[in-house]
């Protein structure tokens, strides 16, 4: 097995996925022998921006500078992975899209002039080609470790696209929509978390993002109607979609 | 039922041939493996990554071992792995699976072979078979097409097909290409350029599904009978032996009822989009 | 349903359960209702069986009501496949030297207790696909030595077994069947072991009145579960509808492809295989349920054989009604209604079938 060079980059995000990555490396220390970490400012002091076998990007793009960084990383890397819901779909910060960013800044920061951000929030895939998208807020560390292992041995992870409900049923969890009348976004959200919220009797709020392969606006509307009958307001429904699936909200025009 | 139907047999790579960009033929030698029939496939296992159904593109004996060739295009989780293995590497094989090409029944007839891209791989054993039993068959037509001259498989062998007695080989590429003097266009066009006797011809087709459908239409128009046109279908396959359900096409399990079907068997479903 | 029948009381049902373990030394498996939750597992006594609750089912709605002795339990989302063909299963262990070992399924000797006629029938469908083909299913299935069925005196709103001949009573493939009537329980042997077991209970030949009540109850149950068009006409309609993308888009408009229906359906057997790899180069090969409503079903490198949702929904319906009969000689739907109750979007397979039937006929 040859060592692969890896770089980890962070744009706008909470660093939760980076934490998961670090936990994964702590849990599977043998992985560190197989990867050569070239760039990872949260992990090491000496970093070099060089050619990479694998680039992992966390966070979404919120200013011009980010766009340049992304293009640069793409040019340097063989394989590029978007890590987490921010990088893959926009993330929670997308909630501000549609409102003038200079307004929003004032609510949050004492010195809003220090904050450099444009009005839009873009997922990595809106700017450069992404080879593998990993969803989750944060991502599942074990899944991340498994992917790195497969790339190290010369393969590629098997991609399965299904709804959270599939995980939920395989785990033997009683559906909260059907048995409790609790709104749950599971049917339109990607599997991956192992149905964490339903396993605690709660509805899924969509942190893995809406499925991107087989839904059109009419289907989203059907879901909105079904959850509306259980008392989830239209506003709340679309806020959840915006907060975790902004780039799909844009491309589906919902 | 086999005692361990899902256990791959350990196989050592004994030879590798780079056929085309991203396409390699991998030869493995196996002991105690059933002799595959033309058109059958194996499940090829890359440890830790998964399995993929791959047609058997050649078979021969070497001492007490059976050498089996798999011609693989690198496209995803498992097949990517084949680009980074060498002679001596180990992979897993289980099989052979499926119902292959009916050739015994075609004895005495003319044979038409139509291959598109990687689709020539499962057809090669028929050509081998006809070569070995040349007197049992009438004319042999081989029509083969690929996107570019580089994408043609078995390049060194293609030229030799012309030497098979009483045979015609025609090759096409999709778009004009520098230095290419042969036919440009779809492989299915070549059907118009051969002198078929529809009453005594059996056709064997493998390639992308759109190409196979066009070929079927043309051959039916030329007067071939539905039960003398054979297609090898591709579907997502996970088990190869009728238990995972993923390869269904209409009521067929492509892995065990096929992958080779006569057009007569498929007529009901072939034209239904996404069945 | 014409074999000799007996009558007894609910205590005999409990006694039957204990005979299975004490006399035959079997592990008794059934749905357990413990701490207000239901799951398949070992039944240690009749008190753990869900005999005093009722499942109130409707499209997209399920409530368990504790109603005392008049409760009539049918089923919940876990079907027998959770036990016989688990959601995630180890298949192979592969060592770093490529030595491999197949996972073993060893369930011991088992009696299934209190399953419903529809679920009994679903095993026949599974057998047709998997028996003697899949080693894990074959071994799990072979561990079942005795089957005790509870016939459905009071089907739920989503049950439609009567249209398919899979219920509300059991006709074959069981050892003992029982039905709880107003003041008694009737028992019916389905095999010689079943007859022997009944002889050990304190049951007597059913009286004419009891038989009358039983037949009337079954008759009513049958009527309430006839919910589909006549089957031959339905199949012709489905056959004709196959190529109409427009019609199937229309009937699947509410479906979002979540695959809950596949997961809860007792006859859906499709699986996906995957590997977990260790850095010492050993690996575990596993498989998990994978429903045909999911996008990856039909997805291949470089294309998709069922890219649109309506195609996958159509496959679900056609597989059950048109394709299974060719594959295993039985309709693949047993009319349990689970897919109706557990679809979060309220899709109802009965409505789909009627809609197709009406627009094609
Ligand atoms: C009967 C048969 C014979 C084939 N013969 C050949 C051959 O000779 N040479 C060749 O290059 N290719 C052949 N294919 C196609 C080949 O199987 C796929 O390209 C391969 O499975 C892709 O797997 P992957 O893991 O690399 O790709 P991924 O896209 O990562 O696949 C994920 C999983 O999906 C399944 N899958 C994906 N694509 C296909 C597909 N096209 N067909 C079936 N399953 C798929 C595989 O089981 C795979 O493990 C054949 C397919 C069939 C059905
Ligand atoms: S609880 Fe949510 S995720 Fe689970 S099946 Fe119901 S809708 Fe799907
Ligand atoms: S029919 Fe219902 S349960 Fe089935 S995939 Fe569609 S929405 Fe989900
Ligand atoms: S299709 Fe629905 S009603 Fe029929 S067996 Fe499956 S879950 Fe039950
Ligand atoms: S309905 Fe779908 S998931 Fe169920 S058995 Fe058929 S193909 Fe498989
Ligand atoms: S590949 Fe599994 S059933 Fe055909």
């Amino acid at each position: 097995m040859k060592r692969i060079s890896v770089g980890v980059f962070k744009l706008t995000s909470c660093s939760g996925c980076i934490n998961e990555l670090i936990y994964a490396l702590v849990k599977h220390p043998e992985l560190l022998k197989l990867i050569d970490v070239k760039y990872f400012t949260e992990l090491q002091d000496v970093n070099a921006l060089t050619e990479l076998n694998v680039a992992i990007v966390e966070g979404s793009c919120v200013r011009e500078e980010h766009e340049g960084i992304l293009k640069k990383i793409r040019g340097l890397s063989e394989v590029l992975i978007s890590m987490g819901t921010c990088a893959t779909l926009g993330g929670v910060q997308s909630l501000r899209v549609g409102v003038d960013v200079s307004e929003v800044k004032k609510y949050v920061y004492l010195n809003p002039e220090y904050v450099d951000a444009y009005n839009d929030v873009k997922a990595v895939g809106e700017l450069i080609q992404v080879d593998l998208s990993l969803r989750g807020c944060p991502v599942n560390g074990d899944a991340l470790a498994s992917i790195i292992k497969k790339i190290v041995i010369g393969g590629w992870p098997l991609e399965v696209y299904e709804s959270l409900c599939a995980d939920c049923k395989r785990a033997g969890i009683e559906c909260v929509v059907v048995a409790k009348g609790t709104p749950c976004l599971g049917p339109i959200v990607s599997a991956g978390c192992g149905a964490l919220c339903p396993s605690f009797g709660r509805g899924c709020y969509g942190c893995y993002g809406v499925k991107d392969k087989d839904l059109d606006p009419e289907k989203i509307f059907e879901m909105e109607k079904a959850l509306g009958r259980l008392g989830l307001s239209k506003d709340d429904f679309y806020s959840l979609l915006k907060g975790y699936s902004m780039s799909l909200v844009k491309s589906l025009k919902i | 039922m086999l005692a361990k139907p899902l256990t791959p047999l350990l196989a050592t790579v004994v030879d590798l041939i780079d056929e085309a960009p991203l396409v390699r033929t991998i030869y493995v030698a196996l002991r105690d493996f059933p002799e595959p029939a033309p058109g059958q496939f194996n499940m090829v296992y890359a440890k830790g990554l998964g399995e993929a159904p791959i047609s058997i593109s050649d078979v021969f004996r070497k001492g007490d071992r059976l050498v089996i060739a798999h011609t693989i295009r690198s496209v995803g989780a498992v097949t990517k792995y084949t680009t980074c293995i060498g002679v001596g590497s180990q992979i897993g094989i289980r099989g052979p699976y499926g119902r292959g090409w009916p050739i015994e029944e075609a004895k005495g007839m003319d044979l038409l072979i139509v291959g598109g891209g990687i689709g020539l791989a499962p057809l090669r054993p028929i050509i081998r078979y006809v070569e070995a039993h040349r007197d049992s068959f009438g004319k042999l037509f081989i029509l083969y097409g690929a996107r570019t001259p580089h994408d043609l498989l078995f390049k060194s062998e293609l030229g030799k097909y012309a030497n098979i007695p009483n045979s015609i080989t025609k090759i096409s590429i999709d778009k004009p290409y520098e230095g290419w003097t042969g036919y440009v266009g779809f492989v299915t066009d070549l059907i118009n350029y051969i002198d078929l006797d529809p009453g005594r011809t059996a056709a064997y087709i493998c390639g992308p599904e759109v190409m196979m459908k066009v070929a079927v239409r043309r051959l039916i128009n030329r007067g071939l009978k539905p039960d003398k046109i054979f297609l090898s279908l591709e579907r997502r396959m996970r088990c190869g032996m009728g238990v995972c359900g993923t390869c269904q096409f209409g009521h067929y399990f492509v892995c065990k009822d096929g992958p080779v079907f006569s057009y007569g068997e498929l007529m009901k479903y072939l034209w239904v989009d996404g069945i | 349903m014409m074999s000799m029948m007996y009558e007894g009381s609910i205590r005999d049902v409990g006694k039957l359960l204990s005979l299975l373990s004490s006399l035959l030394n079997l592990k008794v498996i059934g749905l357990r209702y413990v701490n207000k939750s239901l799951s398949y597992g070992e039944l240690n006594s009749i008190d753990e069986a869900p005999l005093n609750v009722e499942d109130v089912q409707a499209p997209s709605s399920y409530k368990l009501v504790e109603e005392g002795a008049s409760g009539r339990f049918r089923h919940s989302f876990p079907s027998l496949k959770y036990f016989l063909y688990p959601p995630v299963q180890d298949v192979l262990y592969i060592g770093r030297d490529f030595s491999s070992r197949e996972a073993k399924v060893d369930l011991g000797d088992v009696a299934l207790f209190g399953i419903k006629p529809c679920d009994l029938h679903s095993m026949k469908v599974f057998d047709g696909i998997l028996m003697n083909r899949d080693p894990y299913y074959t071994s799990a299935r072979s561990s079942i030595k005795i089957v005790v069925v509870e016939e459905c005196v009071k089907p739920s709103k989503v049950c439609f077994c009567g249209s398919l001949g899979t219920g509300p009573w059991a006709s074959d493939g069981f050892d003992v069947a029982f039905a709880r009537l107003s003041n008694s329980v009737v028992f019916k042997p389905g095999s010689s072991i079943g007859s022997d077991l009944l002889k050990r209970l304190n049951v007597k030949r059913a009286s004419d009145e009891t038989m009358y009540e039983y037949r009337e109850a079954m008759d009513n149950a049958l009527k309430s579960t006839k919910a589909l068009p006549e089957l031959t006409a339905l199949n012709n309609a489905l056959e004709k509808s196959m190529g109409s993308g427009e019609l199937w888009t229309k009937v699947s408009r509410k479906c979002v492809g979540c695959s809950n229906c596949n997961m809860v359906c007792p006859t859906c057997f499709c699986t996906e295989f995957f590997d977990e790899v260790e850095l010492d180069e050993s690996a575990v090969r596993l498989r998990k349920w994978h429903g045909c409503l999911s996008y990856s079903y039909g997805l291949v490198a470089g294309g998709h054989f069922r890219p649109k949702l309506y195609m996958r929904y159509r496959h679900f319906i056609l597989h059950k009604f048109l394709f299974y009969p060719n594959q295993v000689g039985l309709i693949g739907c047993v009319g349990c209604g689970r897919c109706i109750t557990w679809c979060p979007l309220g899709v109802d397979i009965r409505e789909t079938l009627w809609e197709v039937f009406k627009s094609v006929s």
Side-chain angles (χ1 to χ4, degrees):
Chain A
M1 265 183 274
K2 73 172 200 288
R3 279 174 105 196
I4 57 167
S5 54
V6 175
V8 180
F9 304 89
K10 177 178 152 55
L11 305 179
T12 295
S13 53
C14 76
S15 302
C17 293
I18 290 210
N19 280 340
E20 281 299 316
L21 174 58
I22 292 174
Y23 295 145
L25 293 174
V26 170
K27 196 165 154 194
H28 307 268
E30 68 286 6
L31 262 182
L32 281 169
K33 289 189 208 119
L34 294 163
I35 61 176
D36 181 6
V37 183
K38 298 279 190 202
Y39 194 98
F40 195 165
T41 51
E42 287 73 18
L43 190 73
Q44 60 194 25
D45 296 330
V46 185
N47 293 292
L49 207 53
T50 60
E51 294 205 339
L52 297 167
N53 294 121
V54 179
I56 300 175
V57 181
E58 185 205 67
S60 48
C61 183
V62 305
R63 57 175 175 268
E64 299 294 339
E65 184 202 1
H66 286 160
E67 303 199 1
I69 295 175
L70 279 179
K71 284 175 188 144
K72 175 138 198 216
I73 301 170
R74 180 70 268 190
L76 287 170
S77 45
E78 250 171 73
V79 169
L80 188 137
I81 301 175
S82 68
M83 174 173 69
T85 295
C86 295
T88 305
L89 296 158
V92 179
Q93 52 271 29
S94 312
L95 282 171
R96 68 171 170 79
V97 176
V99 186
D100 185 353
V101 70
S102 46
E103 274 301 303
V104 183
K105 277 196 248 176
K106 280 193 264 173
Y107 297 126
V108 185
Y109 298 99
L110 276 172
N111 303 95
E113 64 280 8
Y114 292 157
V115 180
D116 178 12
Y118 49 45
N119 273 322
D120 205 357
V121 171
K122 295 178 188 169
V124 173
E126 290 177 58
L127 294 156
I128 54 169
Q129 188 211 321
V130 172
D131 303 304
L132 190 68
S133 299
L134 257 184
R135 292 150 169 250
C137 185
V139 286
N140 176 328
D142 289 334
L144 194 57
S146 151
I147 286 170
I148 297 173
K149 285 180 197 169
K150 289 191 176 183
I151 294 178
V152 167
I153 61 170
W156 195 246
L158 202 78
E159 292 175 70
V160 173
Y161 303 95
E162 51 182 6
S163 297
L164 175 60
C165 301
D167 267 351
C168 183
K169 288 289 90 42
R170 284 190 296 254
I173 301 163
E174 188 179 58
C175 175
V176 302
V177 168
V178 172
K180 295 206 181 89
T182 304
C184 176
L185 286 179
I188 58 166
V189 163
S190 279
C193 66
L196 202 52
C197 290
S199 74
F200 290 98
R202 288 179 29 170
C204 160
Y205 57 88
C207 80
Y208 270 62
V210 171
K211 294 190 289 174
D212 61 341
K213 303 282 180 195
D214 54 351
L215 296 175
D216 53 28
E218 284 83 71
K219 301 288 181 191
I220 305 275
F221 180 58
E222 287 300 335
M223 192 71 214
E224 180 219 304
K225 276 201 300 194
L227 297 186
R229 287 193 288 274
L230 304 181
L232 184 72
S233 76
K234 204 170 160 163
D235 276 358
D236 288 348
F237 177 81
Y238 287 108
S239 297
L240 287 173
L241 258 52
K242 208 173 148 186
Y244 291 105
S245 312
M246 189 62 203
S247 67
L248 287 173
V249 171
K250 285 186 214 163
S251 65
L252 290 174
K253 302 196 172 58
I254 41 180
Chain B
M1 185 172 57
L2 288 165
K4 293 177 172 183
L6 284 158
T7 303
L9 239 86
L10 173 62
T12 305
V13 176
V14 292
D15 198 8
L16 281 167
I17 297 178
D18 286 315
E19 305 282 358
L22 294 178
V23 183
R24 280 185 134 179
T25 298
I26 295 178
Y27 292 84
V28 293
L30 290 158
R31 251 180 273 266
D32 306 323
F33 198 79
E35 174 113 21
Q40 285 195 299
F41 66 94
N42 282 331
M43 295 300 291
V44 173
Y45 176 59
K47 191 165 69 177
L49 297 172
E51 284 180 318
I54 301 292
S55 305
I56 293 161
S57 64
D58 203 3
V59 187
F60 50 88
R61 288 216 160 264
K62 202 170 180 186
D64 63 343
R65 293 187 303 172
L66 202 59
V67 178
I68 302 181
H70 301 92
T71 302
I72 307 178
R73 183 168 52 199
S74 163
V75 288
V78 178
T79 50
K80 242 192 176 99
Y81 181 71
T82 58
T83 57
C84 59
I85 60 179
V87 171
S89 296
Q90 295 188 317
I91 57 174
I93 302 279
R94 50 189 186 93
Y97 291 120
R99 178 177 69 162
W101 306 105
I103 7 183
E104 288 294 316
E105 294 95 303
K107 287 213 164 128
M109 299 183 75
D110 292 348
L111 305 186
L112 165 63
I113 286 172
V114 189
I118 192 95
L120 187 61
L123 291 164
R124 180 158 77 160
I126 308 185
I127 302 175
R128 288 265 195 276
Y129 187 86
V130 176
E131 275 185 293
H133 305 81
R134 192 63 200 96
D135 297 338
S136 310
F137 300 93
K139 277 192 218 153
L140 172 68
F141 299 98
I142 300 172
L143 310 182
Y144 177 44
R147 277 187 312 127
T148 72
H150 300 294
D151 293 308
L152 294 167
L153 302 183
F154 318 133
K155 292 188 187 67
S156 62
E157 200 172 297
L158 282 178
K160 295 184 199 145
Y161 289 161
N163 305 335
I164 303 174
N166 198 14
S167 76
I168 291 176
T169 298
K170 288 185 183 294
I171 296 175
S172 71
I173 60 161
D174 290 358
K175 286 190 197 112
Y177 202 90
E178 223 183 283
W180 178 257
T181 54
Y183 185 81
V184 175
F186 294 120
V187 60
T188 46
D189 301 345
L190 298 174
I191 295 172
N192 301 337
Y193 297 93
I194 52 171
D195 192 17
L196 283 180
D197 180 349
R200 48 166 298 161
T201 304
Y204 302 86
I205 313 170
C206 185
E209 205 152 300
V210 272
M211 168 234 142
M212 294 199 280
K213 286 185 188 169
V214 175
V216 166
R217 277 218 173 90
R218 296 238 158 126
L219 293 172
I220 292 289
N221 285 341
R222 291 286 293 269
L224 260 79
K225 299 222 176 54
D227 61 351
K228 288 284 173 280
I229 302 176
F230 302 98
L231 319 167
S232 180
L233 293 189
E234 187 188 347
R235 281 295 177 275
R236 185 185 179 92
M237 284 186 186
R238 312 301 281 118
C239 73
M241 47 183 231
V243 303
C244 76
T246 29
C247 66
Q248 291 178 74
F249 176 66
H251 71 270
Y252 299 116
F253 287 101
V254 174
C255 67
K256 69 180 174 73
D257 302 328
V260 173
F261 295 93
S262 76
Y263 171 56
E265 293 168 313
L266 298 180
M267 224 185 268
K268 196 156 91 179
Y269 305 125
L270 195 63
W271 311 105
V272 179
D273 211 13
I275 192 74
Chain C
M1 63 194 275
M2 282 308 119
S3 59
M4 159 92 151
M5 298 192 57
Y6 302 85
E7 67 178 290
S9 72
I10 193 74
R11 300 231 324 266
D12 295 303
V13 178
K15 208 166 150 204
L16 175 63
L17 191 151
S18 4
L19 276 180
L20 296 171
S21 53
S22 63
L23 182 71
L24 299 176
N25 226 344
L26 300 173
K27 205 152 65 166
V28 184
I29 299 289
L31 261 189
R32 306 174 74 225
Y33 181 61
V34 175
N35 296 332
K36 297 198 184 299
S37 89
L38 280 164
S39 61
Y40 269 95
E42 192 167 348
L43 285 167
N44 299 306
S45 84
I46 192 73
D47 303 332
E48 294 174 352
L51 290 179
N52 297 317
V53 283
E54 175 161 1
D55 48 324
V56 181
Q57 304 199 37
S60 209
S61 160
Y62 187 91
K63 292 252 153 6
L64 268 185
V65 184
E66 289 191 24
E67 245 202 355
S70 72
R72 280 294 179 268
F73 180 77
R74 301 89 184 191
H75 53 58
S76 177
F77 72 92
S79 70
L80 274 175
K81 71 181 184 181
Y82 275 84
F83 174 68
L84 286 171
Y85 206 58
V88 184
Q89 186 170 39
D90 286 7
V91 172
L92 270 183
Y93 307 100
I94 295 164
R96 44 173 319 177
D97 58 352
F98 232 108
S99 60
S100 58
R101 180 163 60 83
E102 283 203 353
K104 282 261 169 303
V105 172
D106 185 8
L107 299 174
D109 287 345
V110 166
L112 285 180
F113 188 86
I115 64 167
K116 302 291 142 172
C118 54
D119 285 348
L120 173 68
H121 202 85
S122 77
M123 274 202 295
K124 292 186 201 165
V125 178
F126 251 54
D127 285 354
I129 301 281
L130 299 171
M131 200 59 182
N132 296 326
R133 205 171 271 134
D134 183 80
Y136 311 93
Y137 178 78
T138 305
S139 133
R141 180 69 175 84
S142 310
S143 68
I144 297 174
K145 308 296 178 200
I146 298 277
V147 180
V148 176
V149 178
E150 178 176 21
E151 300 187 316
C152 286
V153 171
K154 201 174 139 200
S156 84
K157 282 206 180 83
V158 298
C159 297
F160 60 103
C161 53
S163 295
L164 295 157
T166 54
W169 59 80
S171 343
D172 61 347
F174 63 94
D175 298 286
V176 177
F178 67 90
R180 283 182 283 155
L181 302 177
S182 54
N183 292 310
S184 61
V185 178
V186 293
F187 293 88
K188 170 169 86 178
S191 68
S192 52
I193 303 182
S195 297
D196 287 351
L197 281 169
L198 289 179
K199 286 196 190 110
R200 290 170 185 271
L201 300 181
N202 189 21
V203 293
K204 53 179 201 275
R205 191 183 178 141
S207 69
D208 287 352
E209 288 107 90
T210 305
M211 282 311 289
Y212 181 80
E213 190 193 346
Y214 171 74
R215 287 202 186 105
E216 195 174 48
M218 284 299 140
D219 240 28
N220 288 335
L222 179 66
K223 276 188 208 125
S224 79
T225 54
K226 281 209 182 287
L228 299 185
E230 191 278 316
L231 287 178
T232 321
L234 174 62
N235 279 9
N236 289 337
L238 288 169
E239 188 101 32
K240 264 199 246 167
S241 78
M242 215 153 59
S244 173
E246 213 175 301
L247 174 60
W248 283 100
T249 305
K250 197 168 130 243
V251 299
S252 63
R253 63 199 169 268
K254 277 201 286 186
C255 170
V256 299
C258 70
S259 82
N260 260 308
C261 47
N262 297 137
M263 300 291 148
V264 300
C265 176
T267 68
C268 274
F269 62 89
C270 290
T271 53
E272 175 68 29
F273 287 69
F274 61 103
D275 276 61
E276 267 166 18
V277 57
E278 292 308 328
L279 283 173
D280 70 354
E281 294 182 69
S282 65
V284 185
R285 216 157 145 60
L286 300 98
R287 70 170 163 202
K288 61 180 180 188
W289 295 348
H290 187 220
C292 63
L293 265 303
S294 291
Y295 181 79
S296 359
Y297 193 92
L299 177 68
V300 292
H304 199 306
F305 287 105
R306 291 189 196 89
K308 300 220 172 79
L309 196 35
Y310 87 78
M311 297 167 174
R312 302 198 292 281
Y313 184 74
R314 176 180 62 190
H315 181 72
F316 174 67
I317 305 288
L318 296 186
H319 188 203
K320 299 293 173 209
F321 285 84
L322 283 186
F323 304 152
Y324 265 115
N326 275 299
Q327 294 168 348
V328 301
L330 298 166
I331 289 183
C333 171
V334 298
C336 69
R338 284 188 179 89
C339 58
I340 303 170
T341 299
W342 299 99
C343 171
L345 277 290
V347 177
D348 186 330
I349 187 173
R350 296 168 298 187
E351 282 172 17
T352 298
L353 293 167
W354 274 109
E355 215 173 324
V356 171
F357 180 73
K358 283 185 185 147
S359 55
V360 183
S361 305

